[in-house]
Amino acid sequence: MKKKVVIVGGVAGGASAAARLRRLDEEAEIILIERGGYISYANCGLPYYIGDVITDRDNLFVQTPHGLRARYNIEVRTRHEVLKIDRQQKMVEVKELVSGRVYQETYDFLLLSPGATPIRPKIPGLEGDNVFTLRDVADTDRIKTYLRHEQPQRALVVGAGFIGLEIAENLVAAGLKVSLVEMASRVLPKNLDPEMAAPLHNHLRARGVNLYLQTALSAVEQRDGQDWALLGNGEEIPYDLVVIAVGTRPETHLAKEAGLELGTNGAIRVNASFQTSDPSIYAVGDAIEVESGITGDKTYLPLAGPANRQGRLAADAICGRPVKYEGVIGTAIVKVFDLTAGSVGFTEEFLKHSGQKYLTAITHPLSHAGYYPGATHLDIKLLFTPEGRILGAQVVGAHNVDKTLDVIATVMKTGGTVDDLAALELAYAPPFSSAKNPVNIAGYVAGNIIRGDLPVASWDQILDQENPDFLLLDVRSKSQFAAGALEGALHIPLAELRQRLHELPRDKEIIVYCTIGLTSYLATRILIQNGFKARNLSGGWQTLKPILDDRRATAAQKNR
Amino acid sequence: MKKKVVIVGGVAGGASAAARLRRLDEEAEIILIERGGYISYANCGLPYYIGDVITDRDNLFVQTPHGLRARYNIEVRTRHEVLKIDRQQKMVEVKELVSGRVYQETYDFLLLSPGATPIRPKIPGLEGDNVFTLRDVADTDRIKTYLRHEQPQRALVVGAGFIGLEIAENLVAAGLKVSLVEMASRVLPKNLDPEMAAPLHNHLRARGVNLYLQTALSAVEQRDGQDWALLGNGEEIPYDLVVIAVGTRPETHLAKEAGLELGTNGAIRVNASFQTSDPSIYAVGDAIEVESGITGDKTYLPLAGPANRQGRLAADAICGRPVKYEGVIGTAIVKVFDLTAGSVGFTEEFLKHSGQKYLTAITHPLSHAGYYPGATHLDIKLLFTPEGRILGAQVVGAHNVDKTLDVIATVMKTGGTVDDLAALELAYAPPFSSAKNPVNIAGYVAGNIIRGDLPVASWDQILDQENPDFLLLDVRSKSQFAAGALEGALHIPLAELRQRLHELPRDKEIIVYCTIGLTSYLATRILIQNGFKARNLSGGWQTLKPILDDRRATAAQKNR
């Protein structure tokens, strides 16, 4: 029997479902209904079109309605909006937006892929033609047109999540002076812990972005023809255009009105084959609740990669194939000027609140062999259970961040441990990696911590201690120590340590640090085996310095 | 009880074992004996020092004897050679090479990490001060000195494995005209199948390297003050210097004379904790036999990454920790000018000979989102069992080859399947990947092949067919077809296919192709569901064209 499938929403999940459906079933009638003017466009590319990194607007369109019709025999209706679902009759009410005509369309299967809508916080005065969000091509065109015609000089970006950072970078690329306001204490607050965000703060400032953290936009007002943003901390920022990027919420009014079950964050609840509470209705993408691929808990994690896979799998399910979705682990990445930041799984902040027992390891391996030109330090934070199962990872650096993150995400997907990371056999030649790959090193260090070979202290256990009950021991070289060290630290270079053990206290814990944590690891081993109580500072000076630099910049900004 | 460990060989495995031993045991007496003048140097960096990519010779040394002594309290003896092992007395006989003095050294544990020696084929006339191999710092210094003092113009490189290719590239970088001779039909014959090597052949020629494949160096002779290489195929090549890179053999004379059990390729046999047949003697690195991490079979796979890990694990075992080495899957990579080529596991050639049942999938996804600048095609070949377990992968391209290979190698390490590749959740933002990562795409295509959704034909099933019993169908656009297509192919663009099915034969198999295999996949689905017998050409024109170009260049060379 020829089946009729109506798909609501023609981007990511919807488009991928449509294509897969046709490949599996040449006979099916497939109708793709999209409220906007475009389908299957490069959602994630939009910020880069604003920054003129992508120069040809046509490149934003992965598929056109014409192409989808000609190649896939799919009936595509753009600028049509589904107003209502009649589950009893298995029918949707559709409005042709151009003409206003309303009509009915029956379905055997309905697939909802409506996506999410940008959140517009209610801020007094925040309206007008220079206030933008960025979600679709129409938004992008509006911003682009405004930039071209009004030639604004100063941009305000509200929200320093992935989209906020990409917009900030691209507005700088477009020649604007950018201020970035974020309510949390750091950029990417859901993805990075404080010590991992600090290098990004410093880099953003170095690239001319004004950072306003831990404060919110409380109001805007116009004075003498100039728009001003008023922040919660009392600061005022002049701006010519503002882009709001404080997050999205699942677009679920259709599902809600139809009485479909909703879940976390109001997202549409589906089973492992993307069936909603109505067995004829499937849903995918940014509008649905998913299972955490780590804990199995219900959660809301809208991401482009999973949306595409969900579309494909929902098509399989509609065609009667067995489907069991494995959930989402939340792998995400963003370019921030010359740095890249990425994460997967849970942050330490999240784990702390969840009550889950965890350990952390911070490492700073080189992106490839140090003797081959162009190697740079990576910052890697690994979070894992006391038994070694990986719960999360954060990676920041100039090179190979994506590779490092992908390998860790791959091990996490299989429920793997830090010992699995250590045992991986990864591609090595000097331009690409080291004989011990950064992921191996992270795994080895984490394994050392688990097995008690390497007791560690974290940055927040040594900074801001009023009356420290430990001794700080710096085991770097004389020149490194002279170039900058922790206040009050005792300095004994590693090569002298064995001869100078008598200088150290036996009644006090010693926290050892070096540049990245490797020399101090050896020092810690020497101390412990000689009966001292010692811990290694996780990540060493390479972790501390960006935090201290960030604090200095923040203090300088406040004293302006 | 204080243990005494003697380590023979101070590079990769030996150095990493020494460092780990010290970290685990501050009391142990550790003596590192190295025949050469250097320890722990950047073996894999040596070719790049010849090409002046690495300009500072000091950068080649990861650890110095002084550093190892000062930081690790390890007794390092360079230019000392172990002559003999007395297993009864647990004693080695050592010669101090500078003085000639011979002395005994006892051990509780002996760790052998002697590495491998370059094979020097017996070729009539091949001697003199312009004949080199490249294995250690002394070799490198010799080549470097020769280049500086003799200013040779023409280099001959014999052997197109990893080292041969790196040397060829770096001699070009040093300003020489390079000829590369390889006995097999292709470069990297142990790592790449023919269709994957073809793009490298074309690229090497484009960068000025003269390629002589499927022929051997049979003799060299001097005429009128010029050295000439005589090839098996009758060609003669003038050269000023020659580098032999035809492989290595495990350095095992010590082990052999001591009566230790040897295995594959004469390499030292060890158990899963690197113990030889003598429980007090351990061995690691390029001198040992290993287990295949895929089949469990004994094999010989000398690689720098595994050598480092083996050194670490052997130290753990010597310190009484439980160790169970997981074997080697053979992940390897090489930069070839602007391309990168890598592989893991088995090639198709190997599997064909082994009798193992396998399937293959060739894909050409973009390295990152096509709409973001700089994306290039990857060539990915996946080999897997009919049940989906991954047996091998080959990746060639300009960008993200290392990342793609590492992710596949990570899944292979866990014994994973092609469906696991499809399900991976990898980092996506336009500068780094696509919503469907190249690895996901390879997994999806392989899954389609396994489930019978996508019957495929391979390039060698359609090229060189005298009387083909199939119809070739090109479904690309008119302009693509006009720019170059297979002889005798019928052309029907995909968009017209549904209307023109009556033009196609029902009594003959149809092999469909397009640019990369995606459009033709859809066409194949249409044909099959309409009752035709059809297969998709794996990898499409993107796989065929480099092969055809390679053949043309080879023919042109022969007609010179």
Side-chain angles (χ1 to χ4, degrees), chain A residues 23 26 42 71 309 312 321 329-331 402-403 406 413 423 425 427 444 453 498 519 525 529, chain B residues 23 26 71 309 312 321 329-331 371 402-403 406 413 423 425 427 444 453 498 519 525 529:
Chain A
R23 287 194 299 264
E26 181 65 13
R71 295 163 58 99
R309 176 161 171 80
R312 181 189 171 98
R321 298 194 169 201
I329 59 175
T331 317
D402 54 339
K403 178 168 76 166
D406 277 355
K413 192 81 178 184
E425 191 188 323
Y444 281 133
D453 292 331
R498 288 187 181 85
T519 298
R525 294 296 305 158
Q529 291 184 70
Chain B
R23 287 194 300 263
E26 181 64 14
R71 294 164 58 99
R309 176 161 171 81
R312 180 188 172 98
R321 298 195 170 200
I329 58 174
T331 317
Y371 53 81
D402 55 340
K403 178 168 76 165
D406 277 356
K413 192 82 177 184
E425 192 188 321
Y444 281 133
D453 292 331
R498 288 185 180 87
T519 297
R525 294 295 305 158
Q529 293 184 69

Side-chain angles (χ1 to χ4, degrees), chain A residues 238-453:
Chain A
Y239 69 87
D240 304 325
L241 109 173
V242 54
V243 185
I244 309 292
V246 297
T248 60
R249 67 166 61 91
E251 171 113 8
T252 54
H253 70 273
L254 264 185
K256 201 174 171 183
E257 277 179 27
L260 297 178
E261 195 182 340
L262 304 182
T264 314
N265 201 25
I268 304 171
R269 177 154 288 174
V270 295
N271 65 17
S273 45
F274 303 102
Q275 235 168 359
T276 66
S277 53
D278 180 329
S280 301
I281 305 180
Y282 290 73
V284 297
D286 290 2
I288 67 165
E289 181 191 59
V290 293
E291 270 188 13
S292 160
I294 304 168
T295 61
D297 293 344
K298 302 282 187 190
T299 182
Y300 178 65
L301 260 173
L303 285 162
N308 270 279
R309 176 161 171 80
Q310 291 161 12
R312 181 189 171 98
L313 293 179
D316 281 3
I318 288 172
C319 291
R321 298 194 169 201
V323 166
K324 196 178 173 312
Y325 189 49
E326 61 282 341
V328 179
I329 59 175
T331 317
I333 195 164
V334 62
K335 172 170 141 38
V336 184
F337 296 97
D338 299 333
L339 287 182
T340 301
S343 70
V344 56
F346 303 120
T347 61
E348 180 166 7
E349 188 178 73
F350 178 92
L351 291 172
K352 209 174 268 173
H353 289 139
S354 76
Q356 158 82 48
K357 277 193 185 156
Y358 68 90
L359 296 168
T360 71
I362 295 179
T363 47
H364 299 287
L366 288 171
S367 55
H368 64 250
Y371 53 81
Y372 190 92
T376 52
H377 276 287
L378 284 162
D379 306 324
I380 304 178
K381 180 171 186 174
L382 210 58
L383 298 127
F384 44 97
T385 66
E387 296 76 36
R389 189 180 172 215
I390 308 165
L391 298 170
Q394 298 161 42
V395 188
V396 176
H399 300 109
N400 281 353
V401 169
D402 54 339
K403 178 168 76 166
T404 303
L405 189 65
D406 277 355
V407 169
I408 298 173
T410 299
V411 171
M412 283 181 70
K413 192 81 178 184
T414 67
T417 68
V418 299
D419 289 339
D420 292 327
L421 297 184
L424 289 178
E425 191 188 323
L426 301 167
Y428 164 52
F432 307 105
S433 179
S434 299
K436 278 180 194 148
N437 184 282
V439 173
N440 296 144
I441 292 173
Y444 281 133
V445 170
N448 287 337
I449 292 170
I450 287 177
R451 276 178 281 279
D453 292 331

Side-chain angles (χ1 to χ4, degrees), chain A residues 69 78 90 106 131 492 499:
Chain A
R69 265 182 219 117
T78 54
K90 294 181 96 174
T106 59
V131 180
I492 303 180
Q499 289 74 50

Side-chain angles (χ1 to χ4, degrees), chain B residues 198-484:
Chain B
L200 294 181
H201 296 171
N202 299 325
H203 188 61
L204 283 162
R205 288 193 194 97
R207 300 301 294 259
V209 174
N210 293 325
L211 264 188
Y212 299 88
L213 299 171
Q214 221 159 355
T215 185
L217 178 64
S218 56
V220 300
E221 58 179 47
Q222 230 189 19
R223 292 199 304 261
D224 313 325
Q226 174 66 57
D227 285 312
W228 289 83
L230 314 181
L231 304 189
N233 67 5
E235 294 206 64
E236 303 189 352
I237 315 169
Y239 69 87
D240 304 326
L241 111 172
V242 54
V243 185
I244 308 292
V246 296
T248 60
R249 67 166 62 90
E251 172 114 8
T252 55
H253 70 275
L254 263 186
K256 201 173 170 183
E257 277 177 26
L260 297 178
E261 195 182 341
L262 303 182
T264 314
N265 201 25
I268 305 171
R269 177 154 290 174
V270 295
N271 65 19
S273 46
F274 303 102
Q275 235 167 357
T276 66
S277 52
D278 180 330
S280 300
I281 305 180
Y282 290 72
V284 297
D286 290 1
I288 68 165
E289 180 191 59
V290 293
E291 269 186 15
S292 160
I294 304 167
T295 60
D297 294 343
K298 302 280 188 191
T299 183
Y300 178 65
L301 260 175
L303 285 164
N308 270 279
R309 176 161 171 81
Q310 291 161 11
R312 180 188 172 98
L313 293 179
D316 282 3
I318 288 171
C319 291
R321 298 195 170 200
V323 166
K324 198 178 170 312
Y325 188 50
E326 61 282 340
V328 179
I329 58 174
T331 317
I333 195 165
V334 61
K335 172 170 138 42
V336 184
F337 295 96
D338 298 334
L339 287 182
T340 301
S343 69
V344 56
F346 304 120
T347 61
E348 180 166 6
E349 188 178 73
F350 178 93
L351 291 172
K352 209 174 269 174
H353 289 138
S354 76
Q356 158 81 51
K357 275 191 187 159
Y358 68 90
L359 296 168
T360 71
I362 295 179
T363 46
H364 299 286
L366 287 171
S367 55
H368 63 250
Y371 53 81
Y372 189 90
T376 52
H377 276 287
L378 285 162
D379 306 324
I380 304 178
K381 180 172 184 173
L382 209 59
L383 298 127
F384 44 97
T385 66
E387 296 75 37
R389 191 181 171 214
I390 307 165
L391 298 171
Q394 299 161 43
V395 187
V396 176
H399 300 108
N400 282 353
V401 169
D402 55 340
K403 178 168 76 165
T404 303
L405 189 64
D406 277 356
V407 169
I408 298 173
T410 299
V411 172
M412 282 181 71
K413 192 82 177 184
T414 67
T417 68
V418 298
D419 289 338
D420 292 328
L421 297 184
L424 289 177
E425 192 188 321
L426 301 167
Y428 164 53
F432 307 105
S433 179
S434 299
K436 279 181 195 150
N437 183 284
V439 173
N440 297 142
I441 292 173
Y444 281 133
V445 170
N448 287 337
I449 292 171
I450 287 177
R451 277 179 279 279
D453 292 331
L454 178 60
V456 283
S458 61
W459 64 275
D460 54 338
Q461 292 171 328
I462 67 146
L463 291 182
D464 317 315
Q465 302 296 316
E466 289 280 314
N467 295 301
D469 54 354
F470 51 78
L471 173 80
L472 280 171
L473 176 63
D474 187 321
V475 293
R476 295 176 300 163
S477 70
K478 278 203 177 80
S479 60
Q480 288 172 324
F481 182 74

Side-chain angles (χ1 to χ4, degrees), chain A residues 366 368-373 375 428 430, chain B residues 42-46 53-54 59-60 62:
Chain A
L366 288 171
H368 64 250
Y371 53 81
Y372 190 92
Y428 164 52
Chain B
N43 222 315
C44 304
L46 302 180
V53 176
I54 299 169
N59 284 345
L60 295 175
V62 181

Side-chain angles (χ1 to χ4, degrees), chain A residues 132-152:
Chain A
F132 303 95
T133 53
L134 178 58
R135 181 72 189 171
D136 58 22
V137 175
D139 293 338
T140 311
D141 287 340
R142 273 193 291 272
I143 296 177
K144 196 85 179 170
T145 304
Y146 193 85
L147 291 178
R148 196 177 300 125
H149 291 170
E150 306 296 329
Q151 307 198 337

